[in-house]
């Protein structure tokens, strides 16, 4: 049985990974590393009730304590918010000394060049470079954009219960494709990837479907019978917003995670919907292995986008980050992605 430690198991990605590992045909013994301040959170108790072991430790604990916490683990998966590289680099150092056989840094997002496009990606690449510097076995997993972040509001407000951050405008002309994955499928892909020797010391791009924003609006209109008003953001406006956000971020002293999120939102729009970074073709150019080629059977197992829309319209959807308060909403930062 493979021993897997998850840091950030109570977050959106972490919960999906816990479910994916639990339901996998490969046997996994799962342990969640949890901060003392988070031990009584409902999300942590839910993970515990699923048979996941709990190891209480601060991420900034002394190196020897982190080594002890990771000793005996075959795989370490980080799902913490990648706002800072320091915590992950410390975990990587401890994993190296503990003899961990595979380290999964906190990525789980869109394909993107390593520098010059998104600061969030640059922070992730800092961690990846550190992992390579210490020759720690690793796998980078990216999954594209979640279905749960693609839908606009309906005039009837029918989807408001499960779309916490609805799409307000179509970027550009809305006809550029991007790779999408249902959040619930992320864990299924991760379970396959960490049990696969072909993915060791590689990056994997695992996605379910490729859609344009116009595709998404049209599918929702067809399924709901409602006409969704279109508001378009011109290319020049989106590009200017990304440049301005980067300049404001770079020029600010004492930057917070809230500042990083503001910048990230602007850069995601430019990267995905204008530059076309988040496509299978771009991922292949960047050196990713293809989840489609590695696991062709997932083509019939993943949640189809039409199924996701039908669930939402039937009142069976679930909003991402439903119980999460972001720094721009509160001064309390969260600890999991």
């Amino acid at each position: 049985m493979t021993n897997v430690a998850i840091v950030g198991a109570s977050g959106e990605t972490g919960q999906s990974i816990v479910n994916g590992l639990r339901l996998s045909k490969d046997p996994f013994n799962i342990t969640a590393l949890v901060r003392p301040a988070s031990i009584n959170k409902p999300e942590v108790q839910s993970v515990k009730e699923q048979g996941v072991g709990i190891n209480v430790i601060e991420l900034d604990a002394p190196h020897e304590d982190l080594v002890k916490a990771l000793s005996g683990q075959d795989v370490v998966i980080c799902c913490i918010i990648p706002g800072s590289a320091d915590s992950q680099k410390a975990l990587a150092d401890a994993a190296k000394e503990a003899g961990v056989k595979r380290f999964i840094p906190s990525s789980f997002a869109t394909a993107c060049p390593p520098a010059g496009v998104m600061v969030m990606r640059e922070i992730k690449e800092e961690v990846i470079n550190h992992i390579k510097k210490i020759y720690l076995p690793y796998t980078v997993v990216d999954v594209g954009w979640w279905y749960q972040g693609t839908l606009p509001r309906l005039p009837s407000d029918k989807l408001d219960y499960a779309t916490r951050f609805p799409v307000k405008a179509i970027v550009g002309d809305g006809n550029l494709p991007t790779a999408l994955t249902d959040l619930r499928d992320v864990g299924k892909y991760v379970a396959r990837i960490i049990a696969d020797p072909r993915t060791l010391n590689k990056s994997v791009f695992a996605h379910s479907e490729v859609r344009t924003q116009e595709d998404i609006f049209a599918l929702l209109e067809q399924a709901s019978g409602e006409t969704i008003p279109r508001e378009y953001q011109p290319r020049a406006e989106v590009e200017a917003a990304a440049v301005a956000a980067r300049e404001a971020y770079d020029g600010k002293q004492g930057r917070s995670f809230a500042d990083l999120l503001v910048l990230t939102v602007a850069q995601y729009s430019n990267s995905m919907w204008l530059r076309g970074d988040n496509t299978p073709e771009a991922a292949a150019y960047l050196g990713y292995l293809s989840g489609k080629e590695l696991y062709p059977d997932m083509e019939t197992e993943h949640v189809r986008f039409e199924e996701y829309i039908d669930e939402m319209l039937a009142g069976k959807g679930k909003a991402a980050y439903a119980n999460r308060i972001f720094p721009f909403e509160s001064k309390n930062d969260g600890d999991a992605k």
Side-chain angles (χ1 to χ4, degrees):
M1 182 175 289
T2 302
N3 293 325
V4 181
I6 303 177
V7 186
S10 63
E12 302 290 334
T13 301
Q15 290 180 66
S16 178
I17 292 174
V18 167
N19 290 334
L21 298 185
R22 287 180 52 249
L23 298 175
S24 173
K25 65 179 181 180
D26 296 300
F28 296 105
N29 179 42
I30 312 169
T31 300
L33 270 60
V34 178
R35 298 184 310 161
S38 299
I39 190 64
N40 292 320
K41 288 184 177 179
E43 296 85 356
V44 173
Q45 293 304 309
S46 175
V47 167
K48 186 176 181 180
E49 290 169 2
Q50 295 176 62
V52 174
I54 303 295
N55 192 338
V56 181
I57 187 169
E58 294 283 6
L59 295 184
D60 60 355
H63 173 73
E64 56 271 22
D65 292 346
L66 291 175
V67 172
K68 183 178 179 181
L70 299 182
S71 294
Q73 298 296 334
D74 299 302
V75 180
V76 173
I77 302 176
C78 286
C79 302
I80 57 179
I81 292 173
S84 169
D86 292 342
S87 294
Q88 287 194 77
K89 289 194 284 187
L91 284 167
D93 290 337
K96 176 69 175 181
E97 185 169 334
V100 169
K101 299 172 184 175
R102 190 187 302 236
F103 188 90
I104 315 296
S106 186
S107 197
F108 308 111
T110 59
C112 179
V117 178
M118 292 184 63
V119 168
M120 187 71 83
R121 186 79 223 178
E122 293 168 8
I123 294 171
K124 295 176 181 181
E125 291 292 336
E126 181 182 345
V127 175
I128 294 167
N129 288 336
H130 181 78
I131 290 168
K132 293 177 178 178
K133 183 182 74 174
I134 63 176
Y135 291 95
L136 174 65
Y138 74 95
T139 303
V140 175
V141 181
D142 275 311
V143 297
W145 192 248
W146 294 346
Y147 288 3
Q148 286 75 9
T150 62
L151 297 183
R153 292 187 65 188
L154 286 174
S156 66
D157 301 335
K158 193 172 184 178
L159 301 184
D160 286 7
Y161 78 98
T163 49
R164 187 166 175 216
F165 300 109
V167 172
K168 296 181 179 179
I170 289 176
V171 178
D173 63 9
N175 291 313
L176 195 71
T178 204
L180 304 174
T181 300
D182 190 286
L183 174 59
R184 293 165 293 181
D185 285 332
V186 172
K188 299 176 188 177
Y189 286 117
V190 170
R192 299 291 294 273
I193 290 166
I194 66 173
D196 188 346
R198 297 174 296 175
T199 63
L200 189 63
N201 300 328
K202 304 291 184 181
S203 295
V204 181
F205 190 64
H207 75 286
S208 296
E209 299 189 11
V210 176
R211 300 283 186 178
T212 70
Q213 284 190 291
E214 282 291 352
D215 287 339
I216 293 166
F217 275 59
L219 285 170
L220 182 55
E221 285 181 327
Q222 182 179 4
S224 67
E226 300 184 40
T227 300
I228 305 171
R230 305 289 203 272
E231 179 180 336
Y232 293 88
Q233 280 186 295
R235 170 183 287 270
E237 180 182 310
V238 175
E239 291 175 339
V243 171
R246 180 65 191 254
E247 291 176 349
Y249 180 80
D250 289 342
K252 187 169 185 178
Q253 298 294 324
R255 293 188 294 255
S256 67
F257 182 61
D259 297 322
L260 177 59
L261 281 182
V262 171
L263 173 60
T264 298
V265 169
Q267 291 183 326
Y268 261 129
S269 293
N270 184 53
S271 175
M272 282 198 306
W273 300 119
L274 292 182
R275 286 178 46 86
D277 294 321
N278 185 47
T279 65
E281 295 78 15
Y285 173 84
L286 293 170
Y288 286 87
L289 298 179
S290 167
K292 294 286 187 186
E293 295 177 4
L294 291 171
Y295 316 112
D297 56 300
M298 281 294 293
E299 192 65 26
T300 58
E301 294 182 15
H302 74 259
V303 178
R304 293 170 53 249
F305 196 81
E306 291 89 341
E307 293 175 329
Y308 167 66
I309 288 177
D310 288 343
E311 288 179 353
M312 293 287 287
L313 292 171
K316 299 178 181 178
K318 180 182 177 183
Y321 302 119
N323 300 316
R324 174 78 180 278
I325 302 297
F326 282 89
F328 53 78
E329 301 173 295
S330 167
K331 294 183 179 180
N332 297 318
D333 283 12
D335 65 349
K337 179 176 179 242

